[in-house]
Amino acid sequence: MATTQIVSAEKRQLKNHANSAQVMSNSLTMAYRGLLKFRRTPEQFFDVTLQPILFTSMFVVIFGGAIAGNVHNYLPTLIPGILVQTVVTASLVTGVQLREDMDKGVFNRFKSLPIARIAPLAGALLADTVRYAIAVTLTFGMGYLLGWRPEDGISGVFASGLLVIFFAWCISWIFAFFGVTARSAAGVQGVSILILFPLTFLSNAFVPVATMPHWLRPFVNANPVSLLIGAVRQLASAGTIGHDFWFSLLGALVIVLIFAPLTVRAYMSKA
Amino acid sequence: MNQEKSRVLAVEAHGLVKVFGDNRAVDGVDLSVPQGVIYGVLGPNGAGKSTVINMLATLLNADGGSAKIFGHDVFANPQVVRQLIGVTGQSATVDELLSATENLVIFGRLLGLNHAAATKRADELLEEFDLQDAARKPLGKFSGGMRRRLDLAASLIVQPPLIFLDEPTTGLDPRTRNQLWETIRRLVQTGSTIVLTTQYLEEADQLADRIALIDHGRVIIEGTPDELKAAAGVTTLHLGLKSEEDADSAKELVEKLLRVAAIKTGPTDISAPMTDSDSITDLLISLRSSGLHLAEVSVQKPSLDEVFLALTGAQNMEEGN
Ligand SMILES: Nc1ncnc2c1ncn2[C@@H]1O[C@H](COP(=O)(O)OP(=O)(O)O)[C@@H](O)[C@H]1O
Ligand SMILES: [Mg+2]
């Protein structure tokens, strides 16, 4: 090493911007880092493993009789509700974890590297789709154990799982935005819960919209989470794609289009 | 030296300012670092060293002033500058959950190496920095010295021409510190330029070709370690005579030839401030022709500690240590 000379600054090929191939490659590397970290911190999977198991059993035991007459009839309504609730909550955790990660020294190195600025964010959000996939699998699995047998078989269930994962990735940009702008991880949690509660509870997740007060119904019906739950119910149970599917997809895309640039901008101004 | 001057400066900063609230953490710092040197930024805790480094390393925006790295504007073209620098921050900038290999491979991939090249480079660096033990286990379980070495290794993946090291040896035991010094010296031999910060005078004295002494966000003095010492105090001449009888006549001769007041510091020892180094030759010749025999001659420069104390005040010194 002492004898070989490095390439001098004047002789190096320097680029001003990251092209799209580099954006992809950097983001995938950051996602790979996220996956490696999962192996070492299994506690990051607690929410996406425990919640589906506990919630399905609890709701079935407590409310099953009250809402749909018997448990079996309630499952097609309940499973998509719990699934979406769990995955959307998990996407909040993405924001909190991103914040904690960003507070670590290694992010200073990422900032000093000539990489696409969006990569540390996009990579983290991408890696978290693994968590969403676990939640999807477990919730559907619990449903099956409790006796849920979708008429249309596995393909509709699979497609609805993908839809939910994609949706969660999209709305995780909202929480990533709070993650980047908030001062602390606790702050992210606080603000995000304020967003999350109306989204998940003012939805059709557990109670039919018809039982809600009139003034609330327009919000509940327009809520992207309700649309997603509706889409999953149709897709998983009957294998059909309806308005809910398209509107929830649209809503998710609008969220990305708004929040991804905002998040990257906020991140860059800090970087 | 001439050749160095014709090359673009590795770092050229003018009037850098950073304000945190009402604290002017960096208050008009100028720096010129030629290529191929070890440049020391020396100062007590809170002097603004890290803030300067972070601005130069594109990690922090400046509130005033300008900075160029190899002629590229840091604030206008940060992405270009990032391709020319390696940064080892004051606190760990590696992933403690991951192993040393995983860390280096990820950084290598981000820097554009393919998986095979990144793995190969990681292995090389692990061997060079004696980190094979940490290759597979998460870093959190390893000593501060190992993490520090990995941190440095991670800055060298693509062998950047300019390397920033923020307090690289703080908290290390003497042996590890010496190893790191050796590594830093070797890096300069390969053509890299190093800018390092330190609170330790000895470290700056040992390593740096030039030093900027900063305190309260300002450069107090800049120069080679010798220049700094010269600025703070006068060099002292010490003479040791063979016999006690000669001491008084030798003292007279010193006073006459150097035209200063000399003092006897022992039965055979004489000290005198040395303002004009040339006159030493005359003095030594006269001593011999007068038959006054010397056992010992030495010239002592003031230590950097004295410079530091003289220029930053004793109070800072305590905080610094
Ligand atoms: N992010 C920050 N926010 C507020 N004050 C800061 C921040 N970083 C550094 N400072 C302040 O700026 C001054 C210089 O800090 P620093 O550059 O870390 O000094 P050094 O590295 O020489 O110890 C200190 O007074 C420190 O408290
Ligand atoms: Mg510092």
Side-chain angles (χ1 to χ4, degrees):
Chain A
M1 167 174 171
T3 46
T4 47
Q5 291 287 305
I6 64 161
V7 181
S8 75
E10 293 89 340
K11 295 208 182 90
R12 292 188 184 222
Q13 291 271 317
L14 303 171
K15 295 178 301 180
N16 216 334
H17 288 288
N19 59 27
S20 53
Q22 196 194 349
V23 173
M24 279 296 282
S25 147
N26 290 166
S27 302
L28 288 175
T29 304
M30 292 301 295
Y32 170 67
R33 166 180 177 267
L35 296 183
L36 286 178
K37 282 181 55 179
F38 284 152
R39 274 204 336 220
R40 302 266 155 74
T41 48
E43 61 270 24
Q44 295 198 19
F45 292 114
F46 279 2
D47 59 335
V48 290
T49 45
L50 292 184
Q51 197 167 325
I53 295 173
L54 287 179
F55 274 32
T56 34
S57 346
M58 266 169 35
F59 274 97
V60 166
V61 172
I62 299 172
F63 302 118
I67 296 175
N70 73 53
V71 168
H72 199 264
N73 291 345
Y74 187 39
L75 284 175
T77 315
L78 176 75
I79 296 297
I82 288 184
L83 174 66
V84 171
Q85 160 114 5
T86 304
V87 173
V88 170
T89 313
S91 71
L92 178 155
V93 177
T94 297
V96 178
Q97 285 172 353
L98 179 65
R99 174 73 234 183
E100 281 172 356
D101 208 14
M102 282 176 60
D103 287 337
K104 297 201 180 116
V106 70
F107 261 74
N108 269 334
R109 185 175 294 280
F110 294 143
K111 287 176 188 167
S112 76
L113 295 178
I115 57 173
R117 298 288 95 184
I118 193 179
L121 301 172
L125 301 197
L126 203 56
D128 258 28
T129 55
V130 170
R131 292 181 346 107
Y132 311 148
I134 289 173
V136 169
T137 313
L138 281 178
T139 313
F140 282 151
M142 280 302 288
Y144 187 83
L145 285 181
L146 293 167
W148 179 51
R149 297 288 179 276
E151 292 154 31
D152 194 54
I154 192 77
S155 59
V157 173
F158 188 74
S160 66
L162 288 182
L163 174 68
V164 170
I165 293 170
F166 177 73
F167 186 92
W169 178 80
C170 292
I171 71 162
S172 70
W173 280 102
I174 301 182
F175 305 118
F177 175 71
F178 294 130
V180 172
T181 50
R183 286 200 190 165
S184 66
V188 185
Q189 183 113 21
V191 181
S192 301
I193 281 178
L194 282 182
I195 300 275
L196 186 74
F197 267 44
L199 276 181
T200 51
F201 283 101
L202 300 182
S203 75
N204 56 2
F206 305 117
V207 247
V209 181
T211 63
M212 293 183 184
H214 282 283
W215 56 267
L216 203 55
R217 288 182 203 172
F219 177 84
V220 174
N221 284 324
N223 180 352
V225 171
S226 299
L227 295 171
L228 178 66
I229 294 171
V232 173
R233 281 176 185 151
Q234 277 189 1
L235 199 52
S237 304
T240 53
I241 289 178
H243 290 304
D244 284 352
F245 178 88
W246 295 113
F247 280 119
S248 62
L249 210 55
L250 185 69
L253 285 173
V254 168
I255 289 171
V256 176
L257 288 179
I258 294 173
F259 279 92
L262 280 179
T263 312
V264 174
R265 173 115 55 92
Y267 175 71
M268 295 224 284
S269 74
K270 282 197 169 185
Chain B
M1 205 56 201
N2 279 337
Q3 192 205 345
E4 259 170 32
K5 275 193 179 143
S6 67
R7 295 173 73 184
V8 60
L9 289 169
V11 179
E12 186 179 9
H14 291 293
L16 278 183
V17 173
K18 184 72 197 181
V19 185
F20 294 114
D22 53 8
N23 173 12
R24 293 180 78 83
V26 173
D27 195 7
V29 162
D30 294 348
L31 282 184
S32 301
V33 180
Q35 294 191 32
V37 303
I38 301 180
Y39 194 94
V41 176
L42 173 65
N45 211 356
K49 304 181 295 296
S50 297
T51 310
V52 168
I53 297 292
N54 288 342
M55 285 192 282
L56 294 176
T58 76
L59 296 173
L60 197 62
N61 289 324
D63 294 319
S66 63
K68 286 182 178 169
I69 303 290
F70 296 107
H72 300 281
D73 190 310
V74 173
F75 305 113
N77 288 316
Q79 199 69 356
V80 169
V81 168
R82 288 180 190 121
Q83 291 161 64
L84 296 167
I85 60 174
V87 191
T88 298
Q90 186 171 351
S91 47
T93 46
V94 287
D95 222 318
E96 311 224 321
L97 285 171
L98 304 185
S99 73
T101 306
E102 288 165 346
N103 265 290
L104 292 177
V105 168
I106 285 171
F107 296 137
R109 299 279 289 132
L110 288 174
L111 286 163
L113 304 181
N114 63 32
H115 192 80
T119 312
K120 180 163 169 280
R121 185 74 185 125
D123 288 342
E124 283 169 15
L125 286 166
L126 290 179
E127 192 185 330
E128 194 179 315
F129 284 82
D130 195 18
L131 283 166
Q132 285 110 324
D133 287 347
R136 301 194 171 279
K137 288 172 241 167
L139 277 180
K141 301 194 168 72
F142 285 86
S143 70
M146 285 179 113
R147 254 172 283 171
R148 215 64 202 135
R149 295 210 298 278
L150 179 67
D151 231 318
L152 182 55
S155 304
L156 306 179
I157 292 171
V158 290
Q159 300 180 308
L162 174 62
I163 300 160
F164 291 105
L165 305 174
D166 195 359
E167 300 202 14
T169 64
T170 300
L172 295 189
D173 61 83
R175 198 179 66 92
T176 320
R177 190 193 56 182
N178 284 333
Q179 281 177 355
L180 211 59
W181 283 1
E182 275 318 303
T183 309
I184 291 170
R185 292 195 182 105
R186 258 189 302 144
L187 286 173
V188 172
Q189 281 164 21
T190 65
S192 292
T193 306
I194 313 263
V195 175
L196 64 86
T197 73
T198 179
Q199 298 183 29
Y200 305 124
L201 309 153
E202 190 207 348
E203 181 159 270
D205 200 5
Q206 287 274 330
L207 275 182
D209 299 301
R210 294 187 76 81
I211 296 172
L213 178 61
I214 75 170
D215 194 23
H216 298 297
R218 290 169 180 272
V219 177
I220 294 174
I221 185 170
E222 199 272 352
T224 64
D226 284 348
E227 283 167 1
L228 261 63
K229 290 172 189 171
V234 190
T235 308
T236 316
L237 174 70
H238 296 284
L239 298 178
L241 289 137
K242 276 197 171 143
S243 85
E244 290 187 24
E245 296 99 77
D246 290 345
D248 285 323
S249 14
K251 180 170 173 258
E252 273 168 38
L253 199 58
V254 169
E255 291 186 327
K256 194 175 116 210
L257 283 174
L258 300 187
R259 270 170 267 128
V260 291
I263 42 167
K264 269 178 80 177
T265 52
T268 57
D269 296 318
I270 295 164
S271 289
M274 201 178 74
T275 42
D276 175 12
S277 306
D278 273 348
S279 53
I280 290 263
T281 325
D282 300 337
L283 175 65
L284 294 179
I285 291 169
S286 323
L287 282 170
R288 193 172 62 181
S289 54
S290 318
L292 306 170
H293 295 289
L294 290 171
E296 187 184 345
V297 182
S298 67
V299 172
Q300 194 180 41
K301 291 185 172 171
S303 72
L304 261 186
D305 286 272
E306 290 172 63
V307 182
F308 203 57
L309 276 171
L311 295 172
T312 67
Q315 193 202 335
N316 280 328
M317 188 59 196
E318 275 158 27
E319 290 167 12
N321 288 334

